[in-house]
Amino acid sequence: MFGFSLPKLIFTAAVIAAAWYGFKFLSRRGAGSKPGAIGDTVRCSTCGDFVAAEGAENCGKTGCPYGQA
Ligand SMILES: [Zn+2]
């Protein structure tokens, strides 16, 4: 009885642990690349504001390197 249930218990615990860490890993990755939310941001070296890496717009401050026509 004990010899049968212990490996099953360990296996169940391993599955739960794997699922837990897998979920944490996926949720962490998903938060970084969520569509709709602000994706990758870069810090404007001139004004210090964080702007979107793609399609960055000029923040309006003098000397901002982004969004200049
Ligand atoms: Zn700027």
Side-chain angles (χ1 to χ4, degrees):
M1 198 70 145
F2 187 74
F4 172 74
S5 61
L6 187 61
K8 202 174 175 184
L9 244 161
I10 292 171
F11 178 75
T12 305
V15 169
I16 291 170
W20 173 254
Y21 282 110
F23 177 75
K24 273 178 77 173
F25 178 72
L26 284 174
S27 64
R28 192 176 295 173
R29 279 192 62 183
S33 58
K34 207 179 214 175
I38 299 171
D40 291 334
T41 54
V42 289
R43 194 169 191 221
C44 178
S45 57
T46 302
C47 57
D49 282 354
F50 285 93
V51 294
E54 286 184 45
E57 291 180 12
N58 191 297
C59 53
K61 294 185 176 78
T62 307
C64 180
Y66 298 107
Q68 291 177 334

